[in-house]
Amino acid sequence: MTDFTDNIQKVFSFDNPSIALGSIMHDGAVHAEVQAKIPLAMMNRHGLIAGSTGTGKTRTLQLLAEGLSRAGVPSFVSDVKGDLSGLCKPGVVNPKILERLAGTGKTFTPEGFPVEFYSLTGNRGTQLRATVSSFGPILLSKVLGLTSTQQSVLAMVFKYCDDRQMPLLDFTDLRDVLNYLGNEGKAELKDYGGMSPATVGVLIRKMVELEQQGASKFFGEPELDIHDLIRTTSDGRGIINVLSLSDVQDKPRLFSTFLMWLLGQFYFDLPEVGDADKPKLVFFFDEAHLLFDDASSELTEHIVQVARLIRSKGIGVFFITQTPKDVDQDVLAQLGNRIQHAVRAFTPQDAKNLKATASTFPTSEFYDIGKTLTSLGTGEALVSVLNPKGVPTAVAITQIFPPSSVMGAADDADYNRVIAASTLASKYATAIDRESAHEILQKKISSAAQATAQNAAPSAPSRGTRQAVPVQEKSVLAEVLNSPVARQVGRQAARTITSQVLRGLFGMLKR
């Protein structure tokens, strides 16, 4: 026992700022004198939180988000089931918490944390939006469930619009462009390739299907400014950004692809920071398998590239899923911090997954990894993290500490309280409809019709003169142009104009 304690204590003896995960266990006993922890500087080296349903993954995620907030690091968590919203409220001690803390030497201190609620529908938080243009053809193809041929057609349409500076802001824009290029605008595709009426029909039907599921609220402006997610409070705590997904959990392609879009925005927009003392933001990607299910090879390749390179932007990413097998192997290779909860093996396939999971951990002289994985209790986990030098630690069974906030969903009153106090809700509340592909095409079609009419009948020479605008009207016009909505429109337009040059990963616009 002494050899075990001495060895494990050396493993986690670093003095660097860190986040405590829990107390080490051995032979069923908890050793309060030895804590497993993750160095704060290694939180941008990415990680994996895995385990079967009900083994404690969500509470481990919650514990990490709390620790980051205390350290002044904001985080972004996707709340698929609604049970992370309790972060905004101090927890209440109960027998289960006391049982979990038994022998750890740690006392329970209730604490609520600064939270900002977001929603893809606007029902449970600040409305989040992204433009069709910035989403790009690859991610949009994933959302719509397109074939590779249909994706190539969509990419061609995006290229056509980019070349003509026709912003695709919402589905109305995209639908109009598809209809135009499938009919009177066919000749304009001679330098791009063609598309069949059948393909146009499929794309529009897929879009209508997604709109009927509420996606129309998501595509548009004002688009989310990622810098709004990297904020701290006046007392230095990191704000926990909670994306409420309980109202769209039956639309996994939409929210999993949005999360990947968001990571892409961080990758494009943020400057290189190198190895910092702590990350700018840590991103928790729950239900990670949804991103990789049916993903094209092109999408998977880009996900791998983001995982490899976004660390240098100061962004850490933790994937949360049931088994490491759910994550692409090349992505898994980037996840140095590992927190593995129990794996339940009831079928031959489960046994195969168990063996694969065990093989991803360093060997241990103190544990049989395979047997340990099936015998872990709720709230217990196998932990191996990166030490301050970036080297994986030995594996240790850990009794994970319970979170300090409510381990469950917030009620409507708590939601309303947080949203009412938000300084961002008003910024994104009102949708903006500025000139985009729809209006540009309408003008183009109208001009063509007028030209046809003029060619059919001679027109009288123009005798119009420029009229002066009355002072009163000028005053009203100035007031309108200086309104908050007008300023927001201007900012959005400027973002599109300055980014209308290159598309990078995922076919997304580079800012």
Side-chain angles (χ1 to χ4, degrees), residues 467-482:
Q467 297 181 351
V469 180
V471 174
Q472 185 177 1
E473 291 185 18
K474 287 184 178 179
S475 176
V476 172
L477 180 60
E479 183 177 343
V480 171
L481 291 175
N482 287 322

Side-chain angles (χ1 to χ4, degrees), residues 200-473:
V200 173
V202 170
L203 291 174
I204 291 178
R205 285 196 298 274
K206 295 274 190 179
M207 290 166 57
V208 169
E209 180 183 337
L210 196 62
E211 283 179 309
Q212 290 176 338
Q213 297 176 355
S216 57
K217 291 184 178 180
F218 167 65
F219 288 106
E221 290 185 325
E223 186 175 80
L224 174 66
D225 180 351
I226 60 168
H227 295 90
D228 286 335
L229 303 178
I230 311 176
R231 298 183 300 139
T232 57
T233 60
S234 58
D235 60 356
R237 292 190 298 170
I239 292 178
I240 303 174
N241 303 282
V242 178
L243 176 60
S244 304
L245 295 170
S246 57
D247 55 344
V248 292
Q249 60 180 297
D250 58 336
K251 306 172 188 62
R253 279 181 174 168
L254 176 61
F255 70 72
S256 65
T257 311
F258 165 75
L259 295 175
M260 202 63 236
W261 170 84
L262 192 55
L263 277 182
Q265 296 298 309
F266 285 119
Y267 174 79
F268 285 139
D269 283 7
L270 296 182
E272 300 276 340
V273 296
D275 292 322
D277 293 335
K278 61 182 181 181
K280 286 185 177 180
L281 178 135
V282 176
F283 195 100
F284 293 94
F285 205 129
D286 203 358
E287 301 290 349
H289 67 281
L290 297 172
L291 179 64
F292 297 97
D293 288 348
D294 303 320
S296 66
S297 58
E298 189 175 13
L299 176 58
T300 302
E301 179 183 345
H302 293 330
I303 295 169
V304 171
Q305 189 169 355
V306 168
R308 284 175 177 165
L309 301 178
I310 201 172
R311 178 185 70 81
S312 65
K313 305 299 182 84
I315 304 295
V317 184
F318 276 71
F319 292 91
I320 297 91
T321 190
Q322 293 205 9
T323 73
K325 192 177 178 181
D326 293 335
V327 180
D328 181 84
Q329 288 189 4
D330 289 331
V331 175
L332 190 64
Q334 311 301 316
L335 312 182
N337 299 304
R338 304 287 298 278
I339 304 171
Q340 176 69 56
H341 289 272
V343 177
R344 307 306 183 203
F346 300 116
T347 68
Q349 184 59 48
D350 290 341
K352 186 177 179 180
N353 291 341
L354 172 63
K355 186 176 180 180
T357 299
S359 68
T360 64
F361 277 88
T363 57
S364 172
E365 61 179 299
F366 297 108
Y367 305 115
D368 181 322
I369 303 297
K371 289 182 180 179
T372 299
L373 286 174
T374 59
S375 61
L376 292 170
T378 300
E380 299 172 0
L382 271 179
V383 172
S384 175
V385 302
L386 297 178
N387 68 19
K389 295 182 179 180
V391 179
T393 67
V395 180
I397 299 178
T398 303
Q399 175 67 65
I400 304 295
F401 295 141
S404 299
S405 54
V406 169
M407 291 190 286
D411 55 30
D412 289 343
D414 292 321
Y415 265 106
N416 294 335
R417 172 179 57 80
V418 172
I419 294 171
S422 170
T423 59
L424 293 179
S426 60
K427 177 179 179 179
Y428 296 106
T430 304
I432 295 173
D433 186 16
R434 62 181 171 89
E435 184 177 77
S436 53
H438 169 75
E439 289 80 12
I440 293 171
L441 283 177
Q442 290 297 316
K443 289 180 180 179
K444 185 173 185 176
I445 294 170
S446 176
S447 297
Q450 289 178 6
T452 301
Q454 288 174 355
N455 290 334
S459 59
S462 174
R463 300 179 61 183
T465 58
R466 185 175 180 182
Q467 297 181 351
V469 180
V471 174
Q472 185 177 1
E473 291 185 18

